[in-house]
Amino acid sequence: MSVDGIDEPVSRELIDYCAGLPGVVVGASMVLRDRRGRLVVVDPGYKPGLDLPGGMAEAGESPHETAGREVREELGLDLAVGRLLAVCTTSAATFGRVVLDFVFAGPTLTDEQVAVLAPADAELDAVYVLTPDEALPRFPGRTRRRVSVALEAEASGACLYVVDGREYRPPKERVWHEDEPIPAGTRVGRAAGWLFDPDGRVLLVGDPDGGYALPGGGAEPEDEDALATLAREVAEEANAVLGKITHVGYLSDPDGGDVRSRSAALIAALGPLAPDPATGWSWSRVLVTPRRAAALLGGGYDTRLPQALAAQRIAHERLGVPILDDDSRVDVPPEGVTFA
């Protein structure tokens, strides 16, 4: 409690109690970009792969102080620490103790600062300025997942909580409304599509660690409706050009929040692989049967399967897409493909 804005002193008993609690390891890093949007990354000589500028907290140091100090020590730059992008928890099963990594945004570096970038710490072998597409494959898996989430948070304006490399989302049983129109006046927060090739396979986009998602994403203020959101997102994530499109259903939030629309569409073409403007890195693309898509997508097969089968049925009835029941998979080549 505080009186007139003055905090009451902490008792010795409480200090002793806190001192005896299990400790955690704290690290902090900073996302730094140049004027072209490239990332500043370091090559630590004492471990494999690249990393963001950062390191472990010293005694009595707050995470943002750690990030600023590490950038000074590693790059020789005294920079303002920006907003928090992500808090990443690694369970004790990995390192023997819980590790908390705090990832902060940093300022955009000037051309002059970039020109003189060099290791200021003997533990670093090199400093690079790379596009996210160039940098992400060179991070170790655990670091890559942390950086990927941080870049998503940077683009969206969110602050994300990550557990063992995956964004934490509270369990929520959204209700699937098959072939029902979205109620008038209801806000659509996200739109995604079951996008079919002429043989009946659907398009999934993949992240650097092998996770898959339906093409789609969050609504932006400039989007007129859910279909506009979908068209923009599939162009950004998959460089996809859509043909005929139809509504499949929506997922409602039992707590009364916004809904998530689902559409089915024919793919006219998939252009060359290109970086997503939101994150700067490129999604891989794969075409699989709807049943296999339900198994690959997060959220559980039993939860995804009704949606997948509804999309397959509606696409067959309204768009003329054949029903494909084999387990085939086609990896889309980087140069893309055009469907007749």
Side-chain angles (χ1 to χ4, degrees), residues 261-277:
S261 74
R262 294 293 182 266
S263 303
L266 286 170
I267 305 170
L270 294 169
L273 197 62
D276 184 343

Side-chain angles (χ1 to χ4, degrees), residues 176 178-179 196 248 264 305-316:
W176 171 237
E178 180 177 328
D179 206 13
F196 289 83
V248 170
L305 185 60
Q307 188 184 139
L309 295 180
Q312 185 180 53
R313 175 184 62 80
I314 291 171
H316 176 67

Side-chain angles (χ1 to χ4, degrees), residues 176-218:
W176 171 237
H177 301 266
E178 180 177 328
D179 206 13
E180 293 183 25
I182 298 172
T186 302
R187 180 181 179 274
V188 178
R190 299 181 69 84
W194 293 86
L195 312 181
F196 289 83
D197 73 3
D199 294 324
R201 300 181 189 88
V202 295
L203 177 68
L204 300 182
V205 292
D207 63 33
D209 294 296
Y212 291 96
L214 288 174

Side-chain angles (χ1 to χ4, degrees), residues 17-25 97-98:
Y17 170 75
C18 290
L21 292 175
V24 299
V25 177
R97 293 177 67 182
V98 172

Side-chain angles (χ1 to χ4, degrees), residues 310-329:
Q312 185 180 53
R313 175 184 62 80
I314 291 171
H316 176 67
E317 294 173 354
R318 300 178 191 170
L319 305 179
V321 175
I323 292 179
L324 186 64
D325 285 325
D326 64 21
D327 198 30
S328 61
R329 167 189 173 122

Side-chain angles (χ1 to χ4, degrees), residues 78-260:
D78 191 3
L79 302 176
V81 180
R83 72 177 184 89
L84 180 63
L85 299 176
V87 179
C88 307
T89 301
T90 304
S91 64
T94 302
F95 294 113
R97 293 177 67 182
V98 172
V99 177
L100 294 180
D101 283 300
F102 293 77
V103 186
F104 294 90
T108 300
L109 299 187
T110 66
D111 294 341
E112 292 75 18
Q113 288 172 319
V114 173
V116 297
L117 278 177
D121 189 325
E123 291 185 334
L124 299 183
D125 286 345
V127 178
Y128 301 107
V129 183
L130 305 173
T131 67
D133 249 12
E134 293 169 334
L136 283 168
R138 298 178 61 181
F139 290 121
R142 190 174 296 107
T143 304
R144 183 170 61 245
R145 291 190 290 271
R146 171 164 51 90
V147 175
S148 296
V149 171
L151 296 184
E152 291 176 11
E154 181 190 40
S156 66
C159 178
L160 301 179
Y161 175 52
V162 182
V163 178
D164 289 328
R166 301 293 180 188
E167 179 189 349
Y168 173 78
R169 295 179 181 176
K172 182 176 287 188
E173 293 294 333
R174 291 184 177 270
V175 180
W176 171 237
H177 301 266
E178 180 177 328
D179 206 13
E180 293 183 25
I182 298 172
T186 302
R187 180 181 179 274
V188 178
R190 299 181 69 84
W194 293 86
L195 312 181
F196 289 83
D197 73 3
D199 294 324
R201 300 181 189 88
V202 295
L203 177 68
L204 300 182
V205 292
D207 63 33
D209 294 296
Y212 291 96
L214 288 174
E220 298 289 349
E222 66 269 19
D223 296 337
E224 293 183 4
D225 53 27
L227 294 185
T229 297
L230 177 62
R232 176 182 53 77
E233 286 286 341
V234 300
E236 292 176 355
E237 291 181 354
N239 200 7
V241 178
L242 302 184
K244 293 181 181 179
I245 187 169
T246 187
H247 181 68
V248 170
Y250 70 94
L251 293 158
S252 65
D253 185 342
D255 298 328
D258 54 26
V259 304
R260 300 180 176 187

